[in-house]
Amino acid sequence: MNSNAIASPVTHPRATVVFTCVLAALAGLMFGLDIGVISGATQFIQAEFKVSDHVIEWIVSSMMFGAAVGAVAAGWLSAALGRKRSLILGAVLFVLGSLLCGLAWSPETLIAARLVLGLAIGVATFTAPLYLAEVAPEHIRGAMISTYQLMITIGILVAFLSDTALSYTGAWRWMLGVIAIPGALFLLGVLMLPDSPRWLMMRGRRDEALGVLQRLRGDSAIVEREAADIEEQLKTPQRGWHLFLENRNFRRSVGLGVLLQLMQQFTGMNVVMYYAPRIFQAMGYDTAAQMWFTALVGLTNVLATFIAIALIDRWGRKPILYTGFAVMAAGLGVVGAMMNGGIATHAGQLFTVAMLLMFIIGFAMSAGPLVWTLCSEIQPLKGRDFGIGCSTFTNWIANMVVGATFLTLLNGIGNAHTFWLYAALNLVFIGLTFWLIPETKGITLEQIERNLMHGRRLRDIGR
Ligand code: BGC
């Protein structure tokens, strides 16, 4: 049925698919650089512009606000322009935004520049997982999206290290501006990506879609099966918002995506990402130790992501989530207890650091990568852009809330209770995973969609 387009078999489809996914996953690197870069810069910005904590909060969170807006816009962009061109736009905005941050001449311009940077990240963080889910074959889909998370963690680590190195001279403009370089490399990379076969099919460009599928899969039989599956799905067009209003089943999957991202953010992970030095200070460490331990947090975050990559397509999603939330609850619970009792000894300090690192491991091996994976898997094709837009928007808004309330919580209810609060939330998430989260290991996106639309319980749509 589609023989005309499958002209030239490619020798290394696996290499092509890995290359494609790794490049798309570089969007994750940008994401991570953005998250990590600000924590080391704020004290120098504050000193130069002589602004209050409140303005600093604005500088930090304008990026997350921009990202939320960018994620919404990307839902429309990635349908209208395609995934590839949306990624290109994201990359261009990223380079512009980081250069503007480095050049900012006032707090207001810095806020505006962070907003542009946020828009870039919103577009990229919406489009990259969507693209990855659409080009990766299903047996490695989980691992591919975890690669995206790995890139996020590497980005955070690189930003922590670069901030630490530049902190000796207080060169905050360099800290913020230097990430334009990886941004430019990312731009070069995405120019080489193929378009998503699903998107090409949606636009009626069937021959091109088959060509891309052939390059990615190599095996004509698989190409035909996937193409037929996609075509079947496309008989019902993309309708996002309308579908949301009309179809209860779609509202359920959108709600599930939103819930997953709320769970991810309210683990408390970004409290550590944005305020690690401050947390180590509360444990009684001096500035040098604070910076080193922050770098150690970044490294632990990278390394533990490999646990998820190794396990996601073997254990499945749910067992990993249970383990991760339990580890996080335990880690934060003990950190809270130590802070409550007062950390008097050197051994006590180290033990508390170890528990905080345990929390990081819990996140990186579970909710970090898995939430992005699940969010890109659970939406039906005709509402996928809208559904992922909603969940990514939620990720950034919740991220902003967590980032903007941590210091207030510390001052209001104290260190110990703040950590216990997040520990308790992680316990609640174990229950929510049990009741509501589906297992999606090794099942095609099309089957998940059929189950959802037949009204199966959310936790059963992956069976
Ligand atoms: C989250 C980010 C977080 C990062 C940490 C991502 O999955 O969405 O908010 O900063 O993981 O590694």
Side-chain angles (χ1 to χ4, degrees):
M1 68 187 244
N2 47 13
S3 52
N4 55 338
I6 308 173
S8 56
V10 173
T11 3
H12 300 296
R14 196 175 159 83
T16 315
V17 91
V18 169
F19 173 76
T20 304
C21 291
V22 166
L23 261 185
L26 280 178
L29 191 81
M30 309 292 109
F31 183 165
L33 287 171
D34 237 19
I35 294 258
V37 81
I38 197 68
S39 68
T42 46
Q43 51 175 315
F44 303 110
I45 296 172
Q46 194 158 26
E48 179 168 335
F49 288 138
K50 303 196 175 31
V51 289
S52 67
D53 276 355
H54 192 59
V55 174
I56 290 295
E57 275 173 2
W58 271 96
I59 292 172
V60 172
S61 52
S62 54
M63 185 276 280
M64 303 165 217
F65 181 72
V69 175
V72 172
W76 173 78
L77 282 173
S78 70
L81 302 177
R83 285 66 165 126
K84 176 178 170 172
R85 267 176 271 168
S86 297
L87 283 172
I88 294 175
L89 179 71
V92 170
L93 286 176
F94 189 93
V95 174
L96 268 177
S98 26
L99 289 177
L100 278 175
C101 282
L103 297 172
W105 55 92
S106 66
E108 291 78 18
T109 44
L110 188 51
I111 290 172
R114 295 266 303 160
L115 205 72
V116 174
L117 201 58
L119 284 174
I121 288 303
V123 172
T125 53
F126 167 83
T127 315
L130 175 74
Y131 179 87
L132 285 169
E134 291 182 347
V135 297
E138 78 229 19
H139 63 283
I140 55 162
R141 201 173 60 218
M144 278 305 168
I145 302 181
S146 309
T147 308
Y148 170 72
Q149 174 70 17
L150 183 67
M151 293 293 190
I152 298 181
T153 61
I154 293 178
I156 294 174
L157 174 63
V158 170
F160 282 171
L161 289 174
S162 132
D163 276 10
T164 307
L166 290 164
S167 67
Y168 292 101
T169 53
W172 69 266
R173 291 178 184 281
W174 279 100
M175 289 181 192
L176 300 187
V178 80
I179 61 177
I181 299 172
L185 294 176
F186 174 60
L187 177 59
L188 286 180
V190 289
L191 287 170
M192 294 156 68
L193 289 177
D195 262 311
S196 151
R198 272 169 209 257
W199 180 76
L200 287 168
M201 288 273 207
M202 277 180 205
R203 309 296 285 190
R205 291 155 67 178
R206 189 171 183 283
D207 288 357
E208 288 170 68
L210 292 174
V212 173
L213 271 178
Q214 183 65 31
R215 265 161 62 206
L216 294 172
R217 305 287 184 262
D219 180 336
S220 304
I222 297 178
V223 172
E224 290 205 15
R225 205 179 53 225
E226 250 189 81
D229 243 346
I230 296 174
E231 277 180 326
E232 184 57 35
Q233 300 279 340
L234 289 181
K235 286 183 184 154
T236 336
Q238 266 292 323
R239 295 169 57 236
W241 176 241
H242 293 286
L243 191 66
F244 183 78
L245 292 179
E246 287 160 12
N247 189 310
R248 179 174 173 273
N249 287 321
F250 181 49
R251 285 199 293 277
R252 291 191 308 144
S253 66
V254 171
L256 183 60
V258 166
L259 174 75
L260 278 162
Q261 290 290 8
L262 287 175
M263 286 164 66
Q264 189 205 54
Q265 289 303 312
F266 285 101
T267 56
M269 178 60 169
N270 281 320
V271 154
V272 186
M273 294 298 104
Y274 300 133
Y275 300 105
R278 168 83 186 241
I279 296 172
F280 291 121
Q281 188 187 32
M283 293 180 191
Y285 284 108
D286 64 13
T287 317
Q290 287 166 29
M291 291 317 265
W292 278 109
F293 280 132
T294 301
L296 190 61
V297 162
L299 184 65
T300 309
N301 191 21
V302 174
L303 294 179
T305 304
F306 284 102
I307 305 177
I309 294 181
L311 296 183
I312 190 166
D313 287 319
R314 276 196 270 157
W315 279 23
R317 286 42 166 168
K318 289 182 72 154
I320 302 182
L321 281 177
Y322 292 135
T323 314
F325 288 131
V327 169
M328 285 189 272
L332 288 184
V334 177
V335 169
M338 293 301 291
M339 291 198 164
N340 194 41
I343 308 169
T345 63
H346 188 54
Q349 276 181 317
L350 283 179
F351 177 67
T352 316
V353 172
M355 288 299 107
L356 193 73
L357 293 178
M358 185 167 113
F359 163 75
I360 300 291
I361 293 174
F363 179 89
M365 66 166 284
S366 68
L370 264 79
V371 164
W372 291 106
T373 310
L374 281 160
C375 282
S376 65
E377 290 176 335
I378 55 174
Q379 304 300 347
L381 181 59
K382 52 188 172 290
R384 188 162 291 152
D385 298 3
F386 179 84
I388 298 183
C390 291
S391 54
T392 308
F393 177 78
T394 308
N395 173 281
W396 285 109
I397 293 292
N399 189 330
M400 194 171 90
V401 172
V402 167
T405 52
F406 182 63
L407 296 179
T408 314
L409 280 173
L410 287 187
N411 297 331
I413 60 174
N415 294 353
H417 285 92
T418 302
F419 286 103
W420 282 336
L421 175 70
Y422 280 110
L425 284 171
N426 279 289
L427 286 180
V428 171
F429 298 155
I430 297 178
L432 291 180
T433 303
F434 177 75
W435 292 109
L436 294 168
I437 308 302
E439 179 54 75
T440 54
K441 180 182 97 168
I443 179 170
T444 63
L445 301 185
E446 289 71 27
Q447 187 59 45
I448 295 175
E449 170 162 353
R450 273 191 286 271
N451 291 339
L452 174 77
M453 289 311 188
H454 284 152
R456 283 215 189 165
R457 282 190 306 186
L458 285 176
R459 57 190 276 204
D460 292 335
I461 61 173
R463 292 200 187 154

